[in-house]
Amino acid sequence: MNKLAALILVFCVATGAYAAPSANDYERITSEIFTACNGKPQSACWSSLKTRLAQLGPPKTKQEFDDQVLAYWMLAKLAHALGEFADAQSLFEATRALTQKTDTFGIRDDAHDYAALILEADMAELAISAGNHAQALAYLDRIASASPETMATPPIQLLRCAALIGLKRDGLANTCLQALLAGLDFSGASPSCGLPFLLGPAPTNPYQIGRRIAAYYARQGKAEQAFDLLHLLAGKRQSAISVMAKDRPDRLWATELSAADLLEDEAAVFVSQGSDMQADASLRRAIEIREQELSPTRKRDLIQLANIGRRMGQFNEAASLQARADALKAEPVDAAPRPRLVDPLAATLGMFE
């Protein structure tokens, strides 16, 4: 068995059935995967891995069953995250075929039934990535029929809204988005692990959901709704942080983004309206906040300010801003760079760029 296949299988066996990987496991796996592939096309890597998994043969014990389900499932999630949609689909189908054999080992129980629903959600997320929105909605309808409470969880409800947007069912999509926003807990704490290889759609920061919806409103020409939502998010964030107990061990969702992020989104809405003066003010305030937070100024903010300055005829100021942007050092390049992971919602509920 090659190094990569061994790594995946050992990892899956070690974590146990339906367990989530730790942050250390995630870092180790991703670095080892791209080291093992040695620049080969990703499809060649997945083909080899799938062959190795198939050679294991049918599981003979409950432990082998759980190990193989997890191995296929995790590998499917990984293929999806890296944009290998066809391979991810076949791996998900192999996972589902295995989960349907639970009776063979006398392990039909609530946990395995729930896992089957979460697998449907992962397959719906993949379908959205691939632009198969009708198929995604079919998966989600099965979840809703079997377990309305599972369907109501924000990460899965978000998928339903995205599928409706992809199908251009605008009325239903807007109703879905409003229901989703109404149910979000902006004062809650984030989980300790929110990685792309969790089984099922990863827990989603409610503020990031709100930012996606604001961007969608702006693209739909609903600037006022976008502004209202961004201002609501800013207020919720400030409120959550102000009441946060100093000794609270949990990490709040509200602390995982800066007020500057919301101001950058606000600037993007202003730009979409052609309101350069207001966009300029929002971006300058965002830069000021990042400096107060001792966070690095974003090069894109300076470039956008320079572009706005040119449109406003402020050529000297624009040149100064462009020079500041050009002077910012590029981020160091990793020895083994990790490719950008797929955003399944990029085409439907994508963030502002």
Side-chain angles (χ1 to χ4, degrees):
M1 182 176 291
N2 66 32
K3 180 180 179 183
L4 180 55
L7 173 67
I8 291 289
L9 291 176
V10 168
F11 166 71
C12 291
V13 170
T15 54
Y18 309 119
S22 69
N24 289 337
D25 286 325
Y26 167 71
E27 295 294 338
R28 175 172 55 81
I29 287 174
T30 51
S31 63
E32 289 287 346
I33 282 171
F34 298 112
T35 298
C37 286
N38 291 324
K40 298 176 183 177
Q42 291 175 9
S43 58
C45 297
W46 303 132
S47 177
S48 174
L49 283 167
K50 287 191 296 182
T51 299
R52 295 292 185 179
L53 284 171
Q55 289 174 348
L56 294 176
K60 300 180 180 62
T61 66
K62 177 183 181 299
Q63 185 63 57
E64 288 182 4
F65 169 82
D66 284 340
D67 291 345
Q68 286 194 32
V69 167
L70 187 60
Y72 276 105
W73 197 338
M74 295 289 285
L75 191 56
K77 293 280 287 184
L78 185 57
H80 180 193
L82 293 173
E84 293 290 340
F85 297 158
D87 288 299
Q89 180 67 31
S90 65
L91 287 161
F92 275 131
E93 289 172 354
T95 307
R96 184 161 62 178
L98 274 173
T99 62
Q100 292 170 348
K101 297 178 181 178
T102 53
D103 289 335
T104 302
F105 302 98
I107 53 175
R108 171 69 69 181
D109 55 27
D110 290 344
H112 287 81
D113 289 344
Y114 179 72
L117 292 177
I118 297 303
L119 178 61
E120 294 283 305
D122 271 339
M123 296 181 76
E125 190 173 51
L126 173 62
I128 290 171
S129 289
N132 299 326
H133 300 108
Q135 182 62 66
L137 198 58
Y139 288 132
L140 295 166
D141 283 343
R142 286 202 285 269
I143 296 173
S145 176
S147 176
E149 60 275 16
T150 301
M151 186 66 243
T153 58
I156 298 180
Q157 196 175 4
L158 181 64
L159 294 180
R160 185 175 188 82
C161 298
L164 291 169
I165 290 170
L167 292 169
K168 301 188 185 305
R169 299 182 185 178
D170 295 340
L172 290 174
N174 283 315
T175 299
C176 180
L177 292 173
Q178 289 299 318
L180 174 59
L181 282 171
L184 293 177
D185 178 11
F186 292 102
S187 62
S190 65
S192 59
C193 180
L195 305 173
F197 307 140
L198 288 167
L199 306 186
T204 306
N205 187 322
Y207 293 92
Q208 302 295 52
I209 292 177
R211 293 177 68 198
R212 286 182 182 276
I213 296 173
Y216 169 74
Y217 286 157
R219 287 191 292 268
Q220 294 294 305
K222 301 174 181 178
E224 290 306 315
Q225 285 183 255
F227 285 131
D228 288 346
L229 179 50
L230 290 171
H231 296 161
L232 171 69
L233 296 177
K236 293 285 189 182
R237 176 184 176 277
Q238 187 58 44
S239 176
I241 292 175
S242 67
V243 300
M244 180 174 60
K246 295 186 182 299
D247 59 347
R248 183 175 178 177
D250 297 331
R251 183 178 182 182
L252 292 181
W253 286 122
T255 63
E256 295 189 1
L257 80 162
S258 166
D261 294 317
L262 298 174
L263 285 166
E264 288 166 351
D265 288 354
E266 183 180 79
V269 181
F270 280 128
V271 168
S272 73
Q273 287 189 304
S275 302
D276 283 338
M277 288 186 62
Q278 292 92 331
D280 181 277
S282 295
L283 283 173
R284 289 181 187 275
R285 178 60 180 146
I287 291 173
E288 179 183 335
I289 289 174
R290 293 200 187 282
E291 290 173 348
Q292 291 172 353
E293 296 172 341
L294 302 180
S295 299
T297 298
R298 291 188 176 180
K299 189 170 185 175
R300 69 179 187 184
D301 287 349
L302 293 172
I303 292 173
Q304 193 169 5
L305 275 175
N307 291 336
I308 290 172
R310 294 186 191 98
R311 291 198 297 268
M312 296 172 63
Q314 299 171 352
F315 298 110
N316 290 337
E317 174 71 3
S320 175
L321 289 165
Q322 187 65 56
R324 281 182 63 189
D326 293 341
L328 291 178
K329 294 181 179 179
E331 295 183 1
V333 178
D334 294 335
R338 188 180 306 147
R340 185 176 181 178
L341 300 180
V342 165
D343 174 8
L345 306 182
T348 51
L349 282 166
M351 305 278 281
F352 284 118
E353 295 183 358

